[in-house]
């Protein structure tokens, strides 16, 4: 193989955004090693600039002709571009909310940024991987970096406990996923590419082995998206881990998990699409019910948002299991707006905890009296998560439920509507706690709330992140048409979605065929057909 042919098959330009993130990571790491703590004043902004440059590279790669790279291991199609953009933007907002938080704990910001960028890199590679080895390496890069970030506050016993639980459960889920992948490798005749696996197991008589591997792979993916019953790690990790890390896991890690689910299920398992759609339907039902019902009883804001994220994963799975282009587009749209409204809520929680040292819901009583802007931002983000119009979350859920209704998933849509009503209850409970309380009913924490000085210039990064997420959450629903066009274009020309669409007979298509050629091959006793009716399958 000559060099030119090898270069064309590698197509390294497809991973230009990841290359920018790698360079940014190395700059931050070397600066921290050479300069030390003094570099913490500017390395976060270098990281943000590198991530925004990566988003620009993703934009330039839109509708590129050659998307497959590294001998079929990575696909930089429009679908992966959207998922990678969500992950990069989530990291940008996470860095904004991390600077002040990490500084106040006395930890090293340079090491934290290095680990965070490593997790981002793994998540971005996972979004376009189409080969087992690359999938597993990307998944472990994301997972190991997430374990490290969870236990980064070494002096905090809750952070240590959360990291240990996350590590043990995550290692078990990785082992299960790897075992399912090894089964697929054997059943397909020794292929590691997802397309090769699909061809191999389609001709295999080992249907039981295929179903076992399917269950193991789904178990590994469900751990990443916090789907019930693989959610046990979520509440404890969310409560004990540093809040910016929780924000990153709730958006970036979940988006990477859904990207992996879409590629793995639709490329490798088209022959058992009914089975995996049934399994994910059950996971969606359990996640919506348990996540939203258990969230009512929580007294900690972080634990409430943990169970809320489980319920939100159930909503997103509606778009995934119906297997239509509208379903996948609605899933992408919801993840895009979930990025800002969920990170906005966590930004408010970080601001409040830095000023008060608590995250108990009862301590928010009367916050409006002391901090109207924080109250407004948190209220809008929570109401958007609940799906109150005209905020972004309302349009996201409307698009999801409408796609599900059109596909005939009436039960899922009705359950989604009912559990959305439940979620509105515990979101509005927090808003009422902040706004409706009288001055004499103010909590002791709010009575001792520090004085504020908001200045338009020289604002802290955390306040910039708050205003950014607040504006986006408020306007993304009203000005959602560009986002609709983006997600629809990202799934319109991707052939892998055809495998997930349930096979339904279409209307007959009449092909007019002249009688003269048929007379040469049809006996004269047979009637001479003028029209052939061909039934096409979608």
């Amino acid at each position: 193989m000559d060099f030119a042919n090898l270069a064309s098959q590698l197509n390294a330009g497809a991973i230009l955004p990841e290359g920018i993130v790698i360079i940014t990571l190395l700059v931050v790491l070397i600066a921290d090693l050479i300069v030390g703590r003094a570099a913490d004043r500017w390395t976060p902004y270098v990281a943000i600039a590198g991530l925004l440059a990566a988003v620009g590279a993703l934009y330039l790669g839109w509708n590129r002709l050659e998307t497959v790279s590294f001998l079929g291991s990575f696909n930089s199609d429009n679908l992966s571009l959207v998922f990678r953009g969500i992950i990069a933007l989530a990291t940008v907002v996470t860095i904004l909310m991390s600077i002040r938080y990490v500084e106040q704990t006395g930890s090293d910001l340079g090491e934290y940024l290095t680990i965070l960028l490593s997790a981002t890199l793994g998540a971005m590679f996972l979004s376009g991987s189409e080969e087992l080895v690359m999938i597993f390496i990307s998944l472990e890069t994301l997972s190991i970096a997430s374990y490290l970030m969870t236990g980064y506050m070494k002096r905090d016993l809750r952070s240590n406990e959360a990291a240990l639980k996350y590590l043990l459960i995550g290692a078990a889920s990785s082992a299960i996923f790897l075992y399912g992948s090894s089964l697929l490798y054997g059943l397909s005749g020794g292929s590691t590419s997802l397309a090769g696996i699909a061809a191999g197991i389609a001709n295999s008589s080992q249907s039981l082995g295929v179903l076992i591997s399917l269950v193991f792979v789904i178990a590994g993916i469900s751990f990443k998206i916090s789907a019930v019953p693989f959610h046990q790690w979520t509440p404890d990790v969310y409560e004990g881990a540093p809040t910016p890390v929780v924000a990153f896991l709730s958006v970036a890690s979940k988006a990477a998990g859904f990207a992996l689910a879409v590629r793995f299920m639709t490329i490798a398992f088209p022959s058992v699409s009914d089975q995996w759609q049934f399994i994910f339907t059950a996971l969606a039902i359990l996640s919506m019910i348990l996540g939203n019902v258990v969230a009512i009883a929580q007294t900690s804001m972080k634990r409430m948002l943990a169970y809320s994220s489980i319920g939100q994963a159930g909503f997103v799975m509606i778009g995934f299991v119906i297997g239509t282009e509208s379903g996948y587009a609605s899933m992408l749209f919801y993840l895009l707006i979930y990025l800002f409204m969920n990170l906005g809520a966590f930004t408010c929680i970080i601001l409040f905890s830095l000023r008060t040292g608590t995250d108990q819901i009862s301590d928010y009583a009367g916050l409006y009296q002391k901090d109207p802007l924080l109250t407004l931002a948190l209220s809008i983000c929570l109401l958007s998560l609940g799906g109150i119009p005209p905020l972004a979350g309302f349009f996201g859920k409307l698009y999801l439920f409408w796609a599900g209704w059109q596909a005939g998933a009436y039960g899922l849509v009705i359950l989604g509507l009912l559990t959305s009503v439940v979620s509105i209850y515990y979101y509005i409970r927090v808003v009422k706690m902040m706004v409706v309380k009288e001055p004499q009913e103010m909590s002791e924490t709010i009575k001792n709330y520090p004085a504020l000085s908001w200045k338009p210039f020289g604002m802290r990064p955390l306040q910039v992140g708050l205003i950014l997420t607040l504006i986006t959450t408020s306007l993304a629903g009203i000005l959602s048409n560009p986002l609709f066009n983006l997600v629809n274009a990202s799934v319109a020309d991707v052939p892998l979605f055809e495998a997930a669409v349930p096979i339904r007979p279409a209307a007959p298509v009449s092909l007019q065929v002249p009688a003269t050629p048929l007379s040469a091959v049809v006996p004269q006793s047979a009637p001479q057909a003028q029209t052939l009716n061909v039934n096409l399958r979608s």
Side-chain angles (χ1 to χ4, degrees), residues 10 36 39 115 129 141 143 156 161 167 297 319 384 427 453 475 528-529:
L10 289 179
I115 301 172
S129 299
T141 302
S143 299
D156 189 349
E161 180 186 356
L167 173 62
S384 182
Y427 290 134
S453 59
L475 299 181
Q528 222 174 25

Side-chain angles (χ1 to χ4, degrees), residues 250-461:
S250 68
V251 175
S253 181
K254 199 180 296 290
F258 276 108
L260 176 61
V262 170
R263 291 197 180 274
F264 218 121
M265 295 300 111
T266 54
I267 298 179
F269 291 113
S271 59
V272 287
S273 60
D274 291 339
Q275 285 78 3
W276 65 254
Q277 285 176 325
F278 174 78
I279 294 174
F280 274 103
T281 300
L283 294 177
I285 292 172
L286 292 173
S287 299
M288 286 188 289
I289 294 175
L290 186 139
N292 288 296
V293 171
V294 178
I296 297 176
Q298 303 307 309
T299 58
S300 166
M301 282 291 292
K302 289 170 71 174
R303 286 188 74 91
M304 188 196 77
L305 288 180
Y307 283 103
S308 166
S309 72
I310 296 171
Q312 300 290 342
F315 295 140
V316 176
M317 275 189 277
I318 294 177
F320 178 51
V321 299
I322 60 178
T324 63
E325 285 193 4
S326 297
Y328 289 100
S330 65
M331 179 185 73
L332 279 175
F333 178 76
Y334 196 81
L335 285 173
L336 269 171
I337 60 174
Y338 180 70
L339 154 70
F340 293 101
M341 56 189 183
N342 199 54
L343 291 183
F346 275 108
T347 303
C348 296
I349 292 174
I350 291 174
L351 265 173
F352 185 81
S353 64
L354 288 177
R355 291 168 178 166
T356 62
T358 179
D359 71 334
Q360 294 299 306
I361 296 176
S362 58
D363 291 331
Y364 283 75
L367 180 61
Y368 175 75
Q369 308 291 332
K370 293 293 186 71
D371 197 340
L373 180 60
L374 183 59
T375 304
L376 174 66
L378 184 56
S379 299
I380 288 180
C381 290
L382 292 178
L383 294 177
S384 182
L385 285 169
I388 300 297
L391 301 174
F394 168 76
F395 292 94
K397 287 185 178 179
L398 180 65
Y399 194 11
L400 271 173
F401 295 156
W402 178 246
W405 193 267
Q406 283 185 317
Y410 306 120
L412 275 178
V413 173
I414 293 174
L415 180 63
L417 290 171
L418 293 176
T419 51
S420 291
V421 174
V422 175
S423 70
I424 291 172
Y425 168 76
Y426 59 78
Y427 290 134
I428 287 186
R429 181 186 63 173
V430 180
V431 177
K432 178 184 176 183
M433 187 76 66
M434 295 186 294
V435 177
V436 178
K437 290 287 184 180
E438 297 295 330
Q440 61 270 20
E441 297 175 310
M442 191 181 300
S443 67
E444 290 297 324
T445 302
I446 299 300
K447 290 178 181 178
N448 300 321
Y449 200 79
L452 302 178
S453 59
W454 284 83
K455 298 178 181 179
F457 300 100
M459 294 178 64
R460 294 173 180 173

Side-chain angles (χ1 to χ4, degrees), residues 8-9 11 13-14 61 63-69 74-77:
S8 64
Q9 292 194 39
N11 191 19
N63 285 334
R64 64 183 301 156
L65 298 178
E66 296 295 331
T67 60
V68 179
S69 60
F74 188 81
N75 193 346
S76 182
D77 56 4

Side-chain angles (χ1 to χ4, degrees), residues 75-133:
N75 193 346
S76 182
D77 56 4
N78 290 343
L79 175 68
S80 76
L81 292 178
V82 175
F83 274 114
R84 290 147 72 192
I86 292 173
I87 293 164
L89 290 175
T91 308
V92 169
V93 181
T94 302
I95 292 175
L96 287 173
M97 68 173 68
S98 300
I99 298 173
R100 178 63 177 162
Y101 187 93
V102 176
E103 286 177 350
Q104 186 161 345
T105 59
S107 301
D108 192 331
L109 185 58
E111 292 179 0
Y112 173 83
L113 293 175
T114 302
I115 301 172
L116 179 60
L117 290 174
S118 299
T120 304
L121 194 63
M124 291 177 71
F125 273 120
L126 189 61
S127 300
S129 299
E130 291 188 352
E131 197 261 346
L132 290 180
V133 176

Side-chain angles (χ1 to χ4, degrees), residues 200-272:
I201 64 177
N203 301 322
S204 173
S205 59
Q206 302 292 330
S207 58
L208 179 60
V210 173
L211 292 179
I212 292 174
S213 64
L214 173 66
V215 172
F216 284 176
V217 168
I218 290 178
I221 295 174
S222 300
F223 171 82
K224 276 296 164 198
I225 62 178
S226 304
V228 177
F230 305 97
H231 69 289
Q232 296 92 340
W233 62 276
T234 309
D236 294 332
V237 171
Y238 275 41
E239 185 177 26
T243 310
V245 176
V246 176
F248 176 82
L249 294 177
S250 68
V251 175
S253 181
K254 199 180 296 290
F258 276 108
L260 176 61
V262 170
R263 291 197 180 274
F264 218 121
M265 295 300 111
T266 54
I267 298 179
F269 291 113
S271 59
V272 287

